[in-house]
Amino acid sequence: MYINSFMGYNYWLEVQVKSKMKAMVLKNICDLTRNKTPLELVEMPEPVPGHREILVKVSCCGVCHTELDEIEGRTPPPRFPIILGHQVVGRVVKSGSGARNFKIGDRVGVAWIFSACGSCKFCRGGKENLCVDFKATGRDAHGGYAEYMTVPEDFAYLIPGEFSDSQAAPLLCAGAIGYRSLSLTTMNDGDNLGLTGFGASAHLVLKLAKHIFPNSKIFVFARSEKERAFARELGAAWVGDTSESAPRKLHSIIDTTPVWMPVVEAMKNLESGGRLVINAIRKESIDKEYLLDLDYPAHLWLEKEIKSVANVTRSDVSEFLPLAAEIPIIPEVQEYALAEANQALLEIKEKKIRGAKVLKIN
Ligand SMILES: [Zn+2]
Ligand SMILES: [Zn+2]
């Protein structure tokens, strides 16, 4: 592709040889316990950036629990085949017409928010995460499990130099959503914070919370001894099993688990007026009957509340990245090849997690 400039107009002429790229695609919803290879490695045409879009040569893409929710149909993509992946780090290789935010070669990130309408009351009020036309990267639009992707330029972010490509990837989802979750607790320095579940997002939140709220104590509830040891290593004041009672009442708790038991168990640990923030796009149904144990006086009375975290806004991402660089929060990552995406997803399903999983693509 090259540019012809004439009388102030730019004409983009398409070279007729379409470039191909490799991608891991999902062709249908499936049950991961039966089909252990839901994604297929295919060759497909390299995408072409549209108006005000950029083409990104993907370097790395994080692997997230949300991909399991997409594959298993709890938050299904509207169209197939679809390229998953919403923690994308790469370099700008082409700008579409009217795209001016980035230079060729800039290192950018793409997060879960792929686009929003920009004009509804939620978008105008800084809550574009709630926009009815919210589009998610790797669900409603092709994501980063591929050699290339396109994205509206207003939904890409420069990556601070402190991070390697693979270190930056998990910050774009787990980090940004963790930052949003922490904001939604409305806690102040000195308030006790609980974290139930201790995966990729929670370990970033622990580091973030220790920095923003140096006088707060952090209590971690996790079901495996390995996760509890990791939390202790990172400076948790107390660690215990998911159903234990913390030694103190907590101002707020962030739940990052995919199930219901931790929700009920967390409520008893909240102080009066305390808030449980659920950072999970969907809950699995396997232990839903646990909700019948919800006891009004023990779990909800005295103005305790539950709030979910939906998606992220661009400001969550753009505020969090420099903060992560300043602290610094350098995620522990485990790298996989693009073709090993199924294995990485299966390990998340089987809870074989320490740090964050990242596909190394280019
Ligand atoms: Zn994610
Ligand atoms: Zn909107």
Side-chain angles (χ1 to χ4, degrees), residues 64-67 86-87 112 173-174 177:
C64 179
H65 191 278
T66 299
E67 270 105 59
H86 55 266
Q87 312 171 71
W112 176 245
C173 179
I177 294 179

Side-chain angles (χ1 to χ4, degrees), residues 137-324:
T137 310
R139 184 189 64 188
D140 308 312
H142 285 316
Y145 285 24
E147 291 177 314
Y148 293 88
M149 73 171 287
T150 52
V151 66
E153 64 166 352
D154 288 341
F155 292 80
Y157 318 84
L158 280 176
I159 302 287
E162 282 81 351
F163 310 110
S164 71
D165 294 358
S166 56
Q167 287 166 342
L171 298 175
L172 289 160
C173 179
I177 294 179
Y179 175 75
R180 181 167 192 85
S181 308
L182 194 58
S183 316
L184 290 179
T185 65
T186 69
M187 69 182 280
N188 292 307
D189 191 22
D191 288 335
N192 294 320
L193 171 70
L195 302 173
T196 183
F198 203 65
S201 180
H203 94 248
L204 299 181
V205 170
L206 190 149
K207 291 179 184 171
L208 188 61
K210 282 181 74 74
H211 178 81
I212 305 178
F213 307 114
N215 296 305
S216 291
K217 289 197 161 51
I218 301 169
F219 299 73
V220 172
F221 305 85
R223 58 180 204 167
S224 84
E225 184 41 53
K226 218 171 157 186
E227 288 167 330
R228 292 197 288 265
F230 190 29
R232 222 176 275 125
E233 229 175 85
L234 294 179
W238 175 91
V239 296
D241 202 355
T242 317
S243 57
E244 279 185 56
S245 292
R248 299 190 198 179
K249 291 290 182 196
L250 311 178
H251 172 277
S252 40
I253 300 177
I254 299 171
D255 166 34
T256 48
T257 70
V259 287
W260 293 101
M261 182 269 266
V263 171
V264 177
E265 296 295 348
M267 297 307 286
K268 70 169 187 249
N269 283 308
L270 288 177
E271 63 185 25
S272 301
R275 177 182 277 191
L276 175 68
V277 174
I278 303 180
N279 172 5
I281 187 163
R282 290 293 182 272
K283 287 284 189 183
E284 293 173 12
S285 301
I286 38 172
D287 72 339
K288 212 169 178 178
E289 75 285 352
Y290 218 99
L291 287 174
L292 294 171
D293 291 344
L294 199 68
D295 177 61
Y296 187 74
H299 296 132
L300 287 165
W301 175 239
L302 293 170
E303 303 193 347
K304 294 182 188 181
E305 58 185 335
I306 300 179
K307 190 169 185 87
S308 64
V309 184
N311 310 318
V312 281
T313 63
R314 281 172 284 178
S315 57
D316 293 323
V317 185
S318 57
E319 284 167 27
F320 172 70
L321 287 175
L323 193 59

